[in-house]
Amino acid sequence: MLKRSEVKKEETWDLSSLFETELLFEEAISNVLTEANKIANLHKGNIQNAQQVVDVLTAYEKLHEQLVLIGAYSSLALSVDQTNEEAQMRSAKVGQKYSKISAQLSFITSELLRLDKTVLTDAKNLAPQFNHYINQLIRKKPYQLHPEAEKALAAFGSTFEAPYELYNTTKLVDLKFDDFEVDGKSYPLSYNLFEGDWELESDTEIRRTAFKAFSRKLRDYQHTTAKTYDIHLKIEKTNADMRGYDSIFDALLFEQEVDRTLYNRQIDLITTELAPHMRRYAKLLQKVHGLEKMTFADLKISLDPTYEPTISIEESRGYMMDGLSIMGKDYTAMLERAFDERWIDFAQNQGKSTGAFCSSPYGVHPYILINWTSRMNEVFVLAHELGHAGHFYLAHQEQNIFNSRPSLYFIEAPSTMNEMLMANYLLANSEDPRFKRWVISTIIARTYYHNFVTHLLEAAYQRKVYEIIDDGGSVNATILSNLKRDVLENFWGDSVEITEGAELTWMRQPHYYMGLYPYTYSAGLTIATQVSGRILNEGQSAVQDWTNVLKAGGTKSPVELAKMAGVDITTDQPLQETIAFIGSLIDQLEQLTQEIENA
């Protein structure tokens, strides 16, 4: 694995759009500290009428925009190399400054919520751009603490983030994998190599040996990782109790603007109704690969590994332009910029965050991190992250910083939508049974398996963890591993052997430090599946509806956003239709496999 200094510049992102030099970054930190002092001196104790509400929010909006850029620069620089001590210290410094500013400005929320609602209503009439912010503030009123308590909690901001930082340090800095050996040949191993290559390896002996070696090293760090997670959970539980929420679930779902009905439906329906379809898929993999038994280590393999093509970064650009062109000229212009202006970090290097993500700081363009393996399925990964980028690219053009970000429940709909659009494009442009089987199997293995199985089973496991915490309990490595194993065994039944090490997958997912996040992948893909069907059948009218949804940002609730796109997520129907659609894809895989074998 290369060091960051050894990778090609053209495969890295360009952070100069945030700050061209370190000196400008330092000046920005100094400026926000000064501006925070000005806001406190000018407005603290002086928010009494509608105009004063507008004045303080206007000042805070400008400050918030600068804070976002500073935070993005710090976190993105660290994400590509967690071993970089300069980046570590920069991130720590920003966290400390943020905590200071948050404590200093906590009075804004407290003083606004002490005002009569008529004053807040007058402020909304005076400055409609703050409608959403004020409405969200009013929602929080029942859970607001005394101003001094809020100030104290804000001051602990960076401390409360410590478990997530410790998790990443353990995972990406301290945890080092030894090479593993198969038939006298040595193979390198790292987090990114395992998740990007060895987990997908077609050679059964290499794949299973890599899984054992990977799991063996994870086990060495299980107790530290479990204690880190337990601390994070206790922080969330304490916050929920202090603020008077009925449960930790209600506290975490509050920001998502959905209730436990939508949350539980997503988990319960999928774990029961999708399981039979996915067990069929596992059996198909076992049959095609001639495996004596199907194990957990075999679930990510390709249905036709000898066919899966490789793809260059430049070739991926062509696929993005063609596959997503249905979204219109403005959208494709954004895609062009993403490649031309180096919005995307493709390189694999030591210390880089695993997986892929998109960060969209307000005021500049989005940034995408990906660990490029040259496998064709990266087309779907890149399309997914560009879905996030396109979402915020449009939302930021239409909305202010307070209005641009939707609920977490909806956040994965635009990303998974792009995966569906890419799949539709690929299928429409080929009649080759083998290629069509590859595309459909990739939709199952990448799009639906990743979002409807991997993340959903994480959500089912996570719900069990939070139930323990909500009852006043604690968790350790043994409890977490047992919970994870139970979830996996219940879903896969006797179709897949849950081999030793599978229970440790709870150690691999950073989403557990982001509240109730994992279930939102399937929620987003449910919406995306329905809307992509509309686009296939209705064309540009459905595309325009979807574009309007993206532009709406966070100005509407998830239920309202889905309704704009023609989907009613308050009922079981969209989810059941999506599960049935997955079943139909597996039907097609079985038919195409038989056709190919009989040819």
Side-chain angles (χ1 to χ4, degrees):
M1 190 60 103
L2 297 175
K3 294 180 180 179
R4 183 66 180 179
S5 59
E6 298 170 335
V7 301
K8 297 177 182 177
K9 181 181 178 180
E10 59 268 26
E11 294 183 6
T12 65
W13 54 29
D14 178 9
L15 297 183
S16 65
S17 294
L18 294 165
F19 296 100
E20 289 188 7
T21 66
E22 195 71 19
L23 179 60
L24 289 174
F25 171 73
E26 292 293 339
E27 288 178 357
I29 292 179
S30 177
N31 289 339
V32 294
L33 290 171
T34 300
E35 287 304 310
N37 283 330
K38 286 182 180 178
I39 292 172
N41 292 334
L42 183 62
H43 296 285
K44 189 173 183 180
N46 297 319
I47 309 175
Q48 298 168 6
N49 59 46
Q51 184 59 57
Q52 290 169 332
V53 170
V54 173
D55 290 344
V56 73
L57 288 181
T58 301
Y60 179 58
E61 179 185 23
K62 293 178 182 177
L63 177 66
H64 190 34
E65 289 177 1
Q66 288 303 306
L67 289 171
V68 165
L69 298 182
I70 292 168
Y73 184 80
S74 169
S75 65
L76 293 176
L78 182 61
S79 68
V80 293
D81 188 2
Q82 295 273 348
T83 68
N84 185 314
E85 293 187 5
E86 181 183 350
Q88 292 173 9
M89 298 311 296
R90 183 194 295 116
S91 179
K93 177 181 178 179
V94 169
Q96 291 170 350
K97 301 302 183 186
Y98 270 32
S99 295
K100 178 181 178 180
I101 291 173
S102 294
Q104 190 175 24
L105 300 185
S106 64
F107 77 89
I108 296 175
T109 298
S110 298
E111 291 192 21
L112 288 176
L113 288 180
R114 285 208 303 265
L115 296 173
D116 190 279
K117 279 191 176 181
T118 56
V119 176
L120 295 177
T121 300
D122 289 342
K124 289 193 291 183
N125 292 334
L126 199 60
Q129 69 268 29
F130 296 134
N131 276 7
H132 181 67
Y133 181 87
I134 293 174
N135 288 336
Q136 291 299 92
L137 208 61
I138 293 171
R139 281 185 70 230
K140 294 179 182 178
K141 191 167 187 175
Y143 310 107
Q144 188 74 4
L145 302 176
H146 186 278
E148 289 304 313
E150 292 290 352
K151 183 177 180 180
L153 287 174
F156 276 103
S158 62
T159 305
F160 293 151
E161 294 296 321
Y164 180 49
E165 294 175 3
L166 179 57
Y167 167 79
N168 275 325
T169 300
T170 303
K171 174 181 175 180
L172 300 172
V173 181
D174 286 345
L175 203 159
K176 303 294 184 185
F177 294 90
D178 298 323
D179 293 353
F180 65 96
E181 190 173 297
V182 177
D183 294 333
K185 184 177 179 180
S186 183
Y187 297 88
L189 184 61
S190 69
Y191 242 107
N192 282 324
L193 283 174
F194 177 74
E195 294 185 342
D197 284 302
W198 301 132
E199 201 171 28
L200 313 173
E201 171 62 42
S202 58
D203 185 300
T204 301
E205 186 64 23
I206 294 175
R207 181 177 66 252
R208 291 179 178 176
T209 303
F211 179 82
K212 289 178 183 177
F214 183 77
S215 301
R216 186 164 57 246
K217 180 55 68 173
L218 285 185
R219 196 177 302 281
D220 291 342
Y221 289 82
Q222 62 178 318
H223 299 296
T224 299
T225 306
K227 177 55 68 175
T228 301
Y229 185 40
D230 186 56
I231 293 170
H232 170 77
L233 293 166
K234 296 292 178 53
I235 292 171
E236 289 182 318
K237 171 62 174 170
T238 301
N239 181 68
D241 289 346
M242 286 179 63
R243 295 189 178 282
Y245 288 97
D246 291 337
S247 72
I248 195 170
F249 293 98
D250 294 304
L252 295 172
L253 289 171
F254 179 84
E255 295 292 341
Q256 296 185 18
E257 299 180 74
V258 296
D259 58 27
R260 291 179 73 174
T261 303
L262 270 69
Y263 168 71
N264 287 325
R265 176 193 292 125
Q266 206 71 25
I267 297 173
D268 293 337
L269 272 178
I270 293 177
T271 50
T272 54
E273 297 190 15
L274 182 62
H277 295 304
M278 294 310 299
R279 291 172 188 175
R280 265 196 307 136
Y281 175 68
K283 289 294 185 184
L284 181 60
L285 283 176
Q286 182 181 0
K287 175 189 172 186
V288 170
H289 283 267
L291 300 175
E292 184 178 339
K293 62 180 178 180
M294 188 71 181
T295 75
F296 184 80
D298 304 321
L299 285 169
K300 295 289 185 72
I301 55 178
S302 170
L303 189 61
D304 191 350
T306 61
Y307 184 77
E308 181 169 359
T310 57
I311 182 173
S312 68
I313 292 171
E314 187 56 36
E315 286 171 332
S316 75
R317 177 179 186 148
Y319 277 102
M320 296 304 114
M321 300 305 299
D322 294 338
L324 303 177
S325 61
I326 193 171
M327 289 297 295
K329 292 182 179 179
D330 288 345
Y331 201 92
T332 52
M334 181 273 297
L335 298 176
E336 291 276 18
R337 287 188 61 197
F339 285 90
D340 290 340
E341 299 173 17
R342 288 173 48 214
W343 297 4
I344 308 167
D345 199 274
F346 292 97
Q348 285 205 46
N349 58 262
Q350 293 177 19
K352 186 175 179 179
S353 294
T354 58
F357 68 73
C358 176
S359 174
S360 300
Y362 192 89
V364 298
H365 58 74
Y367 283 93
I368 291 170
L369 179 146
I370 188 171
N371 286 277
W372 191 258
T373 65
S374 297
R375 293 176 183 266
M376 182 67 175
N377 69 359
E378 298 287 22
V379 164
F380 289 92
V381 181
L382 188 53
H384 178 105
E385 299 308 334
L386 284 167
H388 287 304
H391 183 192
F392 287 105
Y393 182 80
L394 293 172
H396 288 173
Q397 289 179 341
E398 300 291 326
Q399 309 295 339
N400 65 35
I401 194 169
F402 295 139
N403 295 350
S404 63
R405 190 171 186 82
S407 153
L408 193 62
Y409 182 95
F410 193 83
I411 209 76
E412 294 298 338
S415 54
T416 50
M417 164 64 85
N418 272 19
E419 293 189 53
M420 297 305 298
L421 294 179
M422 184 60 65
N424 291 343
Y425 164 77
L426 293 174
L427 287 172
N429 284 275
S430 177
E431 293 300 323
D432 178 4
R434 203 171 178 194
F435 182 76
K436 291 172 78 72
R437 184 176 73 161
W438 177 84
V439 173
I440 295 171
S441 66
T442 302
I443 300 171
I444 294 293
R446 189 5 267 181
T447 303
Y448 284 107
Y449 185 94
H450 189 65
N451 299 301
F452 250 73
V453 180
T454 298
H455 290 318
L456 200 281
L457 293 184
E458 288 166 356
Y461 150 83
Q462 188 184 43
R463 183 169 64 175
K464 292 176 181 291
V465 171
Y466 277 121
E467 286 170 350
I468 293 173
I469 299 299
D470 213 38
D471 287 339
S474 300
V475 294
N476 59 24
T478 301
I479 291 171
L480 295 174
S481 291
N482 287 340
L483 290 176
K484 188 63 179 179
R485 176 172 286 277
D486 287 345
V487 167
L488 293 173
E489 288 178 343
N490 287 336
F491 185 82
W492 291 110
D494 59 6
S495 63
V496 177
E497 180 183 307
I498 306 302
T499 44
E500 184 178 353
E503 74 282 358
L504 296 175
T505 53
W506 61 266
M507 297 178 64
R508 295 165 55 183
Q509 186 51 267
H511 291 160
Y512 298 139
Y513 295 84
M514 304 173 188
L516 297 177
Y517 189 12
Y519 91 101
T520 65
Y521 280 87
S522 65
L525 185 50
T526 300
I527 296 168
T529 302
Q530 300 300 301
V531 179
S532 65
R534 276 196 64 207
I535 290 175
L536 267 181
N537 295 323
E538 301 172 32
Q540 282 304 310
S541 62
V543 170
Q544 189 57 55
D545 286 345
W546 185 242
T547 301
N548 291 337
V549 169
L550 300 182
K551 290 179 177 179
T555 58
K556 298 182 182 297
S557 72
V559 171
E560 292 169 330
L561 288 171
K563 188 175 182 180
M564 284 178 66
V567 183
D568 183 3
I569 59 173
T570 64
T571 70
D572 292 357
Q573 184 178 352
L575 185 51
Q576 288 177 328
E577 288 181 355
T578 300
I579 292 171
F581 177 70
I582 297 171
S584 73
L585 291 177
I586 296 172
D587 290 340
Q588 292 179 59
L589 286 182
E590 291 173 333
Q591 293 165 6
L592 285 167
T593 297
Q594 186 173 5
E595 179 182 338
I596 292 166
E597 289 176 349
N598 293 338

